[in-house]
Amino acid sequence: MSHIPEEIHVVSRGSVPVVSIYQNPDHVAGLVQQLFNAPLITESIQENVGDTTNSINVEGGVSIATQANVKVPLLGNAGLKGDVSGAGSTGQIVATGTRSTQSFVYSQAYYLNIVRKELQARSLLKRVDSIDDAEHLQSGDFVEYQATFAPSELTTIMDVMTPDLVGQITRWLHVKKETALFEGYDSIELVKRAAVTMNERAEVNAGLARDVVKALQADFRQDKTREYYGNIVSGDRSLTAITICDNAHFVVDDEDRILDGVFTVLGKVTSSPEENVPVLQRNKLLRNLSPDGVDTVINQVTGMIQGQTSTTVGGLKIDNLLDLKLASRVAGTSIRVVPIAIFV
């Protein structure tokens, strides 16, 4: 690999080690190879071999010719050779050899650190802390920002409102409505006939509701990717980073729980700054619904819940317990980002 500068100013947190909760290894590996125009080295082995030879001459002695191996402490086996002439001169040669092997493994955390430093050194990484910083961003720019994250409320509801649950609720509402008419029947046979008809209609409605929810879940594609809203700036000039994550690259399975708080994101922008973007923009089917229409439906649902003034839980009205806020748009300015890594 090409030489990597040892001292480079690192964006935002210097050389402080980070802990990733999300990291795409393919993106990181690809960036390393493109930045240094060299293959990615994941493991290397280094061997050090050393040989030492010592000669000793001793005066006086007898004629000896011998060869043997002796064990030298800390050095292992050493060869010992002796040759003494009749004149009383003895020569000894001691040869020692050493070998050490070291194995190095280069992890994704190591390469992430290299990518951040090299992007900064080449002035390719843009820090986003305000709307002014995001004003000139274009698709393809590398960015790093710190934001407070929360999942989309609509996608969270889709997690809770499963097809089976919606089907059971639909069936229960239909049965509840039909049973109110049972008092108008004159015989038990008519009641039984009405009950059979009621159950058949309830099951048909429940099946339709289940199929609709399944279609909506397929449109949201939550089993593969998920949108998270990173609030970079609050207030009148709010700035939101719509961070599109691949569920497979979270370090834990419960991505909604782990990505709850303030985190730093290294990513690539996929859109220029936009204003008041509809939350259903990336859905193939639901994107055809106008934001005004979504607002109308949400307001009606909210009104129905708040209108249940007689319903209380623990002495409190239901509208005081449930604060339903479903926005049809991402308020203010927003950018879309494909994350390379999310860390703290």
Side-chain angles (χ1 to χ4, degrees), residues 84-322:
V84 180
S85 64
S89 176
T90 302
Q92 295 181 346
I93 300 175
V94 180
T96 60
T98 60
R99 172 176 292 181
S100 64
T101 302
Q102 293 178 309
S103 179
F104 300 91
V105 176
Y106 299 93
S107 67
Q108 283 294 310
Y110 170 77
Y111 283 122
L112 174 61
N113 186 49
I114 289 179
V115 167
R116 293 179 68 206
K117 288 183 177 181
E118 192 64 18
L119 289 176
Q120 172 65 10
R122 301 188 186 190
S123 299
L124 297 176
L125 186 57
K126 299 180 180 180
R127 178 75 190 185
V128 180
D129 293 313
S130 65
I131 293 183
D132 294 335
D133 295 334
E135 185 177 0
H136 301 292
L137 288 177
Q138 297 180 353
S139 179
D141 287 341
F142 287 101
V143 293
E144 187 167 296
Y145 55 88
Q146 190 176 65
T148 302
F149 280 90
S152 169
E153 293 172 328
L154 284 176
T155 56
T156 302
I157 290 177
M158 294 300 296
D159 285 338
V160 177
M161 302 300 288
T162 63
D164 290 337
L165 177 58
V166 173
Q168 289 298 328
I169 293 175
T170 302
R171 191 180 193 286
W172 177 81
L173 290 174
H174 181 82
V175 172
K176 180 182 178 182
K177 178 181 177 180
E178 293 292 326
T179 52
L181 304 176
F182 275 11
E183 295 180 359
Y185 297 105
D186 297 330
S187 66
I188 189 63
E189 293 299 327
L190 293 177
V191 173
K192 289 181 179 179
R193 185 181 303 174
V196 172
T197 302
M198 176 192 66
N199 288 328
E200 289 179 351
R201 290 178 178 175
E203 189 57 40
V204 170
N205 292 339
L208 178 60
R210 284 193 292 267
D211 292 340
V212 170
V213 174
K214 288 180 181 178
L216 292 177
Q217 287 185 336
D219 194 23
F220 273 90
R221 302 184 297 279
Q222 293 189 107
D223 56 333
K224 300 296 183 181
T225 61
R226 189 179 291 261
E227 287 185 354
Y228 292 90
Y229 295 158
N231 184 18
I232 300 176
V233 181
S234 303
D236 297 335
R237 303 187 66 200
S238 62
L239 176 60
T240 302
I242 304 175
T243 310
I244 307 170
C245 298
D246 188 335
N247 295 344
H249 297 310
F250 280 96
V251 298
V252 295
D253 293 333
D254 193 353
E255 58 273 2
D256 283 337
R257 185 175 296 275
I258 191 64
L259 191 55
D260 183 11
V262 179
F263 294 91
T264 301
V265 178
L266 170 66
K268 223 173 192 304
V269 175
T270 63
S271 70
S272 299
E274 301 175 284
E275 298 293 331
N276 299 321
V277 177
V279 296
L280 300 177
Q281 187 181 60
R282 79 182 184 104
N283 295 77
K284 294 180 179 179
L285 175 64
L286 298 179
R287 68 186 303 173
N288 296 320
L289 298 176
S290 67
D292 293 336
V294 177
D295 285 337
T296 300
V297 174
I298 291 173
N299 290 335
Q300 288 180 351
V301 173
T302 305
M304 291 173 59
I305 293 176
Q306 294 178 346
Q308 304 295 325
T309 56
S310 60
T311 304
T312 60
V313 177
L316 297 175
K317 295 181 180 180
I318 190 171
D319 56 326
N320 292 330
L321 294 174
L322 180 61

